[in-house]
Amino acid sequence: QVQLVESGGGLVQAGGSLRLSCAASERPFSSYTMGWFRQAPGKEREFVAAISWSGSYTAYADSVKGRFSISRDNAKNTVYLQMESLKSEDTAVYYCAATIRPGWGPLLFAKGTYDYWGQGTQVTVSS
């Protein structure tokens, strides 16, 4: 199975920016639809963003739309989450996930759709 490793988390002030990276161990990376999820203490893991195999399609949770941007570089086997205008509500452990299942639609909002998960990276936004 593919292994995923997140990096780029840390402590930032409200209004600041961070870029998270997720590196995959398996090629071709373009075979996978990729997603980002997050989980705050005491809360369930929630969808953040997803990107299609080709990078042509993206989707975002309403809570981050307009502030976060997902992208991928298939040549580097890496997916990114650029986070701007960060709020204290964004504080969570962020996980990247991958699925080789074909298609693009509402199922990509569900964590059960994804087969592979990274260990997570902590993002803390101070206010």
Side-chain angles (χ1 to χ4, degrees), residues 47-48 60-67 109:
F47 171 81
V48 176
Y60 299 92
D62 289 341
S63 59
V64 306
K65 191 175 182 65
R67 299 188 297 118
F109 286 71

Side-chain angles (χ1 to χ4, degrees), residues 8-109:
L11 174 64
V12 298
Q13 294 184 345
S17 301
L18 280 176
R19 188 177 76 161
L20 305 183
S21 299
C22 176
S25 64
E26 188 170 304
R27 299 175 182 265
F29 183 65
S30 59
S31 296
Y32 297 92
T33 296
M34 302 295 299
W36 284 97
F37 290 75
R38 66 186 183 185
Q39 187 167 21
K43 297 183 179 180
E44 64 181 321
R45 192 169 299 186
E46 66 177 1
F47 171 81
V48 176
I51 187 166
S52 64
W53 294 359
S54 66
S56 298
Y57 299 97
T58 58
Y60 299 92
D62 289 341
S63 59
V64 306
K65 191 175 182 65
R67 299 188 297 118
F68 291 11
S69 179
I70 189 171
S71 62
R72 67 191 299 161
D73 186 339
N74 290 340
K76 297 181 178 179
N77 302 326
T78 301
V79 64
Y80 305 95
L81 185 69
Q82 180 69 40
M83 305 185 293
E84 299 180 346
S85 301
L86 283 162
K87 307 173 181 179
S88 60
E89 296 89 337
D90 297 317
T91 295
V93 176
Y94 283 71
Y95 300 88
C96 69
T99 179
I100 201 168
R101 296 168 183 169
W104 182 261
L107 288 176
L108 294 171
F109 286 71

Side-chain angles (χ1 to χ4, degrees), residues 106-124:
L107 288 176
L108 294 171
F109 286 71
K111 55 183 178 291
T113 299
Y114 295 84
D115 304 295
Y116 309 107
W117 295 84
Q119 292 299 117
T121 185
Q122 177 71 47
V123 172
T124 302

